[in-house]
Short mmCIF file of all heavy atoms in Angstrom, two decimals:
data_model
loop_
_atom_site.label_atom_id
_atom_site.label_comp_id
_atom_site.label_asym_id
_atom_site.label_seq_id
_atom_site.Cartn_x
_atom_site.Cartn_y
_atom_site.Cartn_z
N VAL L 301 -3.38 -23.94 34.86
CA VAL L 301 -4.76 -24.44 34.79
C VAL L 301 -5.74 -23.32 34.48
O VAL L 301 -6.69 -23.50 33.70
CB VAL L 301 -5.13 -25.14 36.12
CG1 VAL L 301 -6.62 -25.49 36.14
CG2 VAL L 301 -4.30 -26.40 36.31
N THR L 302 -5.55 -22.16 35.07
CA THR L 302 -6.47 -21.04 34.86
C THR L 302 -6.51 -20.62 33.39
O THR L 302 -7.58 -20.43 32.80
CB THR L 302 -6.08 -19.84 35.73
OG1 THR L 302 -6.09 -20.23 37.11
CG2 THR L 302 -7.04 -18.68 35.53
N TYR L 303 -5.33 -20.45 32.80
CA TYR L 303 -5.26 -20.02 31.40
C TYR L 303 -5.80 -21.11 30.46
O TYR L 303 -6.51 -20.83 29.50
CB TYR L 303 -3.82 -19.68 31.01
CG TYR L 303 -3.16 -18.66 31.91
CD1 TYR L 303 -1.78 -18.61 32.06
CD2 TYR L 303 -3.93 -17.73 32.63
CE1 TYR L 303 -1.18 -17.67 32.88
CE2 TYR L 303 -3.33 -16.80 33.46
CZ TYR L 303 -1.95 -16.77 33.59
OH TYR L 303 -1.34 -15.85 34.40
N LYS L 304 -5.47 -22.36 30.76
CA LYS L 304 -5.91 -23.46 29.92
C LYS L 304 -7.44 -23.61 29.97
O LYS L 304 -8.09 -23.84 28.94
CB LYS L 304 -5.24 -24.76 30.36
CG LYS L 304 -5.53 -25.94 29.44
CD LYS L 304 -4.89 -27.22 29.96
CE LYS L 304 -3.39 -27.14 29.89
NZ LYS L 304 -2.75 -28.44 30.23
N LEU L 305 -8.01 -23.47 31.17
CA LEU L 305 -9.46 -23.60 31.31
C LEU L 305 -10.18 -22.47 30.60
O LEU L 305 -11.21 -22.68 29.95
CB LEU L 305 -9.84 -23.63 32.79
CG LEU L 305 -11.33 -23.75 33.10
CD1 LEU L 305 -11.91 -25.02 32.47
CD2 LEU L 305 -11.56 -23.74 34.61
N ALA L 306 -9.66 -21.24 30.71
CA ALA L 306 -10.29 -20.10 30.03
C ALA L 306 -10.26 -20.31 28.51
O ALA L 306 -11.26 -20.05 27.82
CB ALA L 306 -9.56 -18.81 30.40
N TYR L 307 -9.15 -20.79 28.00
CA TYR L 307 -9.04 -21.04 26.56
C TYR L 307 -9.97 -22.17 26.14
O TYR L 307 -10.63 -22.10 25.09
CB TYR L 307 -7.59 -21.35 26.22
CG TYR L 307 -7.30 -21.43 24.74
CD1 TYR L 307 -7.96 -20.61 23.82
CD2 TYR L 307 -6.36 -22.35 24.25
CE1 TYR L 307 -7.69 -20.68 22.47
CE2 TYR L 307 -6.09 -22.42 22.89
CZ TYR L 307 -6.76 -21.60 22.01
OH TYR L 307 -6.50 -21.67 20.66
N ALA L 308 -10.04 -23.24 26.95
CA ALA L 308 -10.91 -24.36 26.65
C ALA L 308 -12.37 -23.93 26.61
O ALA L 308 -13.13 -24.33 25.71
CB ALA L 308 -10.72 -25.46 27.69
N ARG L 309 -12.78 -23.09 27.56
CA ARG L 309 -14.18 -22.65 27.63
C ARG L 309 -14.59 -21.90 26.36
O ARG L 309 -15.65 -22.18 25.78
CB ARG L 309 -14.38 -21.77 28.86
CG ARG L 309 -15.82 -21.26 28.99
CD ARG L 309 -16.00 -20.35 30.18
NE ARG L 309 -15.90 -21.08 31.45
CZ ARG L 309 -14.87 -21.01 32.28
NH1 ARG L 309 -13.82 -20.24 31.98
NH2 ARG L 309 -14.87 -21.70 33.41
N ILE L 310 -13.75 -20.94 25.93
CA ILE L 310 -14.16 -20.15 24.76
C ILE L 310 -14.10 -20.98 23.48
O ILE L 310 -14.90 -20.76 22.55
CB ILE L 310 -13.28 -18.88 24.64
CG1 ILE L 310 -13.98 -17.86 23.71
CG2 ILE L 310 -11.89 -19.20 24.13
CD1 ILE L 310 -13.38 -16.49 23.75
N LEU L 311 -13.20 -21.96 23.43
CA LEU L 311 -13.18 -22.86 22.27
C LEU L 311 -14.43 -23.72 22.21
O LEU L 311 -14.98 -23.98 21.13
CB LEU L 311 -11.94 -23.75 22.32
CG LEU L 311 -10.60 -23.09 21.99
CD1 LEU L 311 -9.45 -24.06 22.26
CD2 LEU L 311 -10.55 -22.60 20.56
N MET L 312 -14.89 -24.17 23.37
CA MET L 312 -16.06 -25.04 23.41
C MET L 312 -17.34 -24.30 23.05
O MET L 312 -18.33 -24.92 22.62
CB MET L 312 -16.19 -25.68 24.80
CG MET L 312 -15.09 -26.69 25.09
SD MET L 312 -15.07 -27.28 26.79
CE MET L 312 -16.63 -28.17 26.85
N PHE L 313 -17.35 -22.98 23.19
CA PHE L 313 -18.53 -22.20 22.83
C PHE L 313 -18.41 -21.60 21.42
O PHE L 313 -19.25 -20.80 21.02
CB PHE L 313 -18.76 -21.08 23.84
CG PHE L 313 -19.36 -21.57 25.13
CD1 PHE L 313 -18.55 -21.78 26.24
CD2 PHE L 313 -20.71 -21.86 25.24
CE1 PHE L 313 -19.10 -22.25 27.44
CE2 PHE L 313 -21.25 -22.32 26.42
CZ PHE L 313 -20.44 -22.52 27.52
N SER L 314 -17.35 -21.98 20.71
CA SER L 314 -17.16 -21.49 19.34
C SER L 314 -18.14 -22.17 18.40
O SER L 314 -18.68 -23.25 18.69
CB SER L 314 -15.72 -21.76 18.90
OG SER L 314 -15.56 -21.50 17.52
N GLN L 315 -18.36 -21.58 17.24
CA GLN L 315 -19.22 -22.15 16.21
C GLN L 315 -18.48 -23.18 15.36
O GLN L 315 -19.08 -23.89 14.57
CB GLN L 315 -19.76 -21.04 15.30
CG GLN L 315 -20.60 -20.00 16.03
CD GLN L 315 -21.85 -20.59 16.63
OE1 GLN L 315 -22.48 -21.47 16.03
NE2 GLN L 315 -22.24 -20.13 17.81
N ASP L 316 -17.17 -23.23 15.52
CA ASP L 316 -16.34 -24.14 14.75
C ASP L 316 -16.21 -25.48 15.47
O ASP L 316 -15.82 -25.53 16.64
CB ASP L 316 -14.95 -23.51 14.54
CG ASP L 316 -14.13 -24.27 13.51
OD1 ASP L 316 -14.18 -25.51 13.50
OD2 ASP L 316 -13.42 -23.60 12.73
N GLN L 317 -16.52 -26.57 14.77
CA GLN L 317 -16.45 -27.89 15.38
C GLN L 317 -15.02 -28.26 15.78
O GLN L 317 -14.80 -28.94 16.79
CB GLN L 317 -17.00 -28.94 14.41
CG GLN L 317 -18.48 -28.77 14.09
CD GLN L 317 -19.35 -28.93 15.34
OE1 GLN L 317 -19.07 -29.77 16.20
NE2 GLN L 317 -20.40 -28.13 15.42
N ASN L 318 -14.05 -27.82 15.00
CA ASN L 318 -12.66 -28.10 15.34
C ASN L 318 -12.27 -27.40 16.64
O ASN L 318 -11.53 -27.97 17.46
CB ASN L 318 -11.73 -27.65 14.21
CG ASN L 318 -11.91 -28.47 12.95
OD1 ASN L 318 -12.21 -29.66 13.03
ND2 ASN L 318 -11.74 -27.84 11.79
N ASP L 319 -12.76 -26.18 16.81
CA ASP L 319 -12.51 -25.47 18.07
C ASP L 319 -13.14 -26.22 19.23
O ASP L 319 -12.54 -26.33 20.32
CB ASP L 319 -13.08 -24.04 18.00
CG ASP L 319 -12.26 -23.14 17.10
OD1 ASP L 319 -11.12 -23.51 16.78
OD2 ASP L 319 -12.76 -22.07 16.72
N ASN L 320 -14.35 -26.72 19.02
CA ASN L 320 -15.03 -27.48 20.08
C ASN L 320 -14.22 -28.70 20.51
O ASN L 320 -14.04 -28.95 21.71
CB ASN L 320 -16.41 -27.93 19.61
CG ASN L 320 -17.33 -26.77 19.26
OD1 ASN L 320 -18.26 -26.91 18.51
ND2 ASN L 320 -17.06 -25.58 19.81
N SER L 321 -13.71 -29.43 19.54
CA SER L 321 -12.92 -30.62 19.85
C SER L 321 -11.64 -30.25 20.59
O SER L 321 -11.25 -30.91 21.57
CB SER L 321 -12.57 -31.37 18.56
OG SER L 321 -13.73 -31.81 17.90
N ARG L 322 -11.01 -29.18 20.13
CA ARG L 322 -9.79 -28.72 20.80
C ARG L 322 -10.10 -28.28 22.22
O ARG L 322 -9.35 -28.58 23.16
CB ARG L 322 -9.20 -27.55 20.00
CG ARG L 322 -7.99 -26.88 20.62
CD ARG L 322 -6.83 -27.81 20.77
NE ARG L 322 -5.64 -27.10 21.22
CZ ARG L 322 -4.62 -27.67 21.82
NH1 ARG L 322 -4.65 -28.98 22.06
NH2 ARG L 322 -3.57 -26.97 22.18
N GLY L 323 -11.22 -27.61 22.42
CA GLY L 323 -11.60 -27.16 23.76
C GLY L 323 -11.86 -28.33 24.70
O GLY L 323 -11.46 -28.30 25.87
N ARG L 324 -12.53 -29.38 24.22
CA ARG L 324 -12.80 -30.55 25.06
C ARG L 324 -11.51 -31.28 25.44
O ARG L 324 -11.39 -31.79 26.56
CB ARG L 324 -13.76 -31.49 24.34
CG ARG L 324 -15.15 -30.90 24.15
CD ARG L 324 -16.14 -31.91 23.60
NE ARG L 324 -17.42 -31.25 23.33
CZ ARG L 324 -17.84 -30.88 22.13
NH1 ARG L 324 -17.09 -31.11 21.07
NH2 ARG L 324 -19.01 -30.29 21.98
#
Side-chain angles (χ1 to χ4, degrees):
V301 172
T302 302
Y303 305 155
K304 186 182 293 187
L305 180 58
Y307 188 35
R309 179 182 290 108
I310 197 167
L311 286 173
M312 291 172 66
F313 284 100
S314 170
Q315 299 297 322
D316 191 321
Q317 296 297 323
N318 293 327
D319 287 345
N320 299 157
S321 299
R322 175 62 173 158
R324 293 188 185 101

